[in-house]
Amino acid sequence: MNKNILLGVTGGIAIYKVVDVVSRLKKLDYNIKIIMTDSACEFVSPMTFETIGKCDVKNKMFHKNSHKIVEHIDLANWADLFLVAPASANIMAKINHGIADDLLTSTALAYTKPIMFCVSMNTNMLNNPSTQKNIEELKEKNHLIIDSNSGMLACDTKGDGRLKEPWEIVEEVENYFCKKDLKGKKVLITAGATVERIDPVRYITNDSSGKMGYSIAKKAFMRGADVTIISGKTSVDSPYGIENIKVQSAIDMKEQIESCVDDYDCLIMAAAVSDFKVKNRKDLKIKKQDGIHSLELEENPDILKSLNKKENQIFIGFAAETNNLIKNAEKKLNKKNLDYIVLNDVSKKDIGFNSEYNKVSIISKNQILELDKDTKLNIADKILDLIK
Ligand code: CTP
């Protein structure tokens, strides 16, 4: 069933971003109800939120027919999540001290679960000891504080206090609702394409966009795992909130993995690693008159094959194949000492490299699980079910 989000909107210039938050939450099929404070209505008309959210926007505590329901209690009971954005210094101070002098604060007092506050204010107001104390106390009461970003503020200064971007706030909401069945697991995920330099301006790489690896990382993080990404060249944004160590070549990736893999319960190797590197890489740009017509290549080490898997560790590889799919993947499973290999057919244009979709088979020593074509995010969940 779709979750109910009660959005409390307070007066702050970042309110324009919250209109976008509502639009994004609507597209994800959340049920939305909105309470605006009087100050919020000074910045944006309730009609904007009503139209974008296709939902009720409440403002007044007392109005006609109010005897029919006790609205603030009703709203508090209805919500699966109470999200406050932008969360001003004033609203956090009031809610922390149990002040209930309008519809938003009265509903907050009646709400029994953690409230998610998306902090937004001027840097000096944020750094004020009173605000800091209120934030600490709200955390102690189990409320969720979504810290602000640093950057340009409406008051023409640079600093902390910028409301998180709409997509980041939506990620926080999605994370909140996700089951945390991977809590306690440490997962290392590689993504993207390695890059083998020819000279300072040219390189050899491949078509991997990083989408599959990033989808797995995003889902693992949402499901509560402690996630680290090691990624090569990618063409999509790094997932929100996850440490992402950027590397270039296969050798760089190997060194990074070797330095930390023992600390992880699971390694998922979704990166497309270059099999070859350039033998005599040049430090200066190769000029036309140098007359180079061929490149001498040498083999890169096979990262997975070279690792010493500890007992209890789970290693999952990917097999990018165009022919003899199952047979080739099974060979890699055995040769690289993997627990599972995820086979995908990279000859198909509608799936695999760069696509939002994939169609994979998950192969282990004694089983082949053929999955239907699906989004990379849904496939990520199926892969992560293997390590629960
Ligand atoms: N891989 C690796 N080190 C390499 C090459 C690949 O660890 N030098 C990993 C990939 O990240 C993937 C798996 O091994 O998880 C299979 O990669 P793939 O490119 O399908 O196969 P290769 O082993 O490179 O063999 P081939 O290119 O001959 O198919």
Side-chain angles (χ1 to χ4, degrees):
M1 214 177 69
N2 297 343
K3 299 285 185 190
N4 297 339
I5 298 180
L6 178 62
L7 172 66
V9 185
T10 75
I13 193 63
I15 197 169
Y16 73 96
K17 287 187 182 172
V18 181
V19 177
D20 190 10
V21 171
V22 172
S23 163
R24 287 164 188 259
L25 292 174
K26 193 77 208 152
K27 285 187 188 123
L28 291 169
D29 273 342
Y30 287 106
N31 303 315
I32 302 168
K33 288 185 184 178
I34 298 173
I35 303 172
M36 290 176 78
T37 62
D38 287 343
S39 318
C41 297
E42 295 287 328
F43 282 89
V44 169
S45 155
M47 176 125 49
T48 307
F49 280 104
E50 262 167 25
T51 313
I52 291 289
K54 297 187 176 45
C55 63
D56 286 349
V57 175
K58 318 269 182 194
N59 167 241
K60 292 279 170 260
M61 187 77 190
F62 306 104
H63 47 79
K64 279 187 203 155
N65 299 328
S66 61
H67 60 280
K68 285 190 187 155
I69 53 163
V70 184
E71 194 163 41
H72 57 293
I73 307 296
D74 222 45
L75 286 166
N77 289 339
W78 174 84
D80 295 308
L81 172 64
F82 195 167
L83 175 70
V84 179
S88 59
N90 185 42
I91 201 73
M92 290 193 288
K94 279 162 81 172
I95 293 176
N96 185 38
H97 288 94
I99 294 171
D101 62 354
D102 62 7
L103 184 60
L104 202 164
T105 48
S106 303
T107 310
L109 200 59
Y111 186 71
T112 53
K113 294 180 284 261
I115 300 174
M116 189 181 279
F117 293 93
C118 301
V119 174
S120 170
M121 69 195 73
N122 159 275
T123 312
N124 292 341
M125 292 171 82
L126 179 61
N127 290 339
N128 187 298
S130 302
T131 308
Q132 286 301 314
K133 191 158 184 266
N134 284 325
I135 289 177
E136 279 321 303
E137 287 176 6
L138 286 167
K139 281 184 188 166
E140 280 161 21
K141 291 169 189 163
N142 269 337
H143 293 298
L144 305 162
I145 304 292
I146 309 305
D147 286 328
S148 57
N149 288 340
S150 195
M152 205 61 202
L153 300 173
C155 45
D156 281 343
T157 56
K158 249 184 174 176
D160 289 340
R162 245 182 96 85
L163 181 68
K164 280 241 180 312
E165 294 308 314
W167 71 271
E168 294 176 309
I169 294 173
V170 172
E171 290 277 331
E172 292 284 357
V173 170
E174 294 260 89
N175 286 354
Y176 178 81
F177 286 123
C178 193
K179 60 181 186 302
K180 302 291 177 225
D181 59 347
L182 295 180
K183 206 164 175 58
K185 297 263 181 223
K186 288 195 76 181
V187 186
L188 182 62
I189 299 166
T190 67
T194 59
V195 165
E196 305 298 334
R197 285 265 154 216
I198 300 170
D199 69 8
V201 293
R202 304 177 180 96
Y203 55 80
I204 300 172
T205 189
N206 60 61
D207 274 337
S208 173
S209 61
K211 274 181 200 162
M212 192 66 239
Y214 280 1
S215 298
I216 300 169
K218 177 178 167 159
K219 281 301 182 116
F221 178 71
M222 284 174 77
R223 288 168 67 168
D226 182 349
V227 182
T228 306
I229 305 171
I230 298 175
S231 67
K233 189 173 69 62
T234 56
S235 55
V236 286
D237 288 336
S238 182
Y240 173 72
I242 306 176
E243 184 190 10
N244 189 348
I245 302 165
K246 296 296 261 180
V247 294
Q248 274 229 327
S249 67
I251 298 282
D252 297 342
M253 185 170 277
K254 180 171 182 281
E255 283 173 4
Q256 240 345 303
I257 295 173
E258 280 171 354
S259 72
C260 64
V261 67
D262 285 354
D263 299 337
Y264 290 84
D265 301 303
C266 174
L267 168 67
I268 304 180
M269 193 79 188
V273 183
S274 307
D275 290 326
F276 297 94
K277 63 176 189 275
V278 178
K279 194 160 184 193
N280 295 308
R281 176 191 152 162
K282 302 284 184 241
D283 291 332
L284 298 176
K285 188 185 172 199
I286 301 169
K287 304 297 285 178
K288 224 179 327 201
Q289 63 265 28
D290 295 342
I292 291 183
H293 296 117
S294 61
L295 289 172
E296 202 178 339
L297 301 177
E298 62 183 337
E299 208 169 316
N300 263 326
D302 187 315
I303 302 174
L304 275 176
K305 203 171 152 208
S306 70
L307 297 172
N308 287 320
K309 186 157 76 81
K310 289 191 303 179
E311 224 185 306
N312 298 330
Q313 272 188 321
I314 298 179
F315 281 10
I316 303 176
F318 273 72
E321 305 294 343
T322 54
N323 58 312
N324 288 332
L325 307 180
I326 301 273
K327 229 170 144 198
N328 283 339
E330 278 177 335
K331 260 195 219 159
K332 285 178 191 170
L333 177 82
N334 293 322
K335 199 172 76 180
K336 295 175 194 247
N337 189 25
L338 302 174
D339 298 279
Y340 302 94
I341 194 147
V342 181
L343 161 67
N344 54 335
D345 181 348
V346 286
S347 68
K348 299 223 166 77
K349 281 274 171 291
D350 59 329
I351 54 169
F353 284 151
N354 272 308
S355 165
E356 295 301 327
Y357 290 86
N358 210 348
K359 177 164 180 4
V360 305
S361 302
I362 299 174
I363 303 175
S364 61
K365 299 240 152 60
N366 43 28
Q367 210 187 2
I368 299 177
L369 185 64
E370 278 202 33
L371 303 184
D372 292 334
K373 180 179 167 185
D374 208 339
T375 61
K376 287 186 172 171
L377 282 169
N378 286 341
I379 288 178
D381 265 333
K382 300 268 167 49
I383 294 168
L384 290 166
D385 286 344
L386 303 169
I387 65 163
K388 269 201 293 192

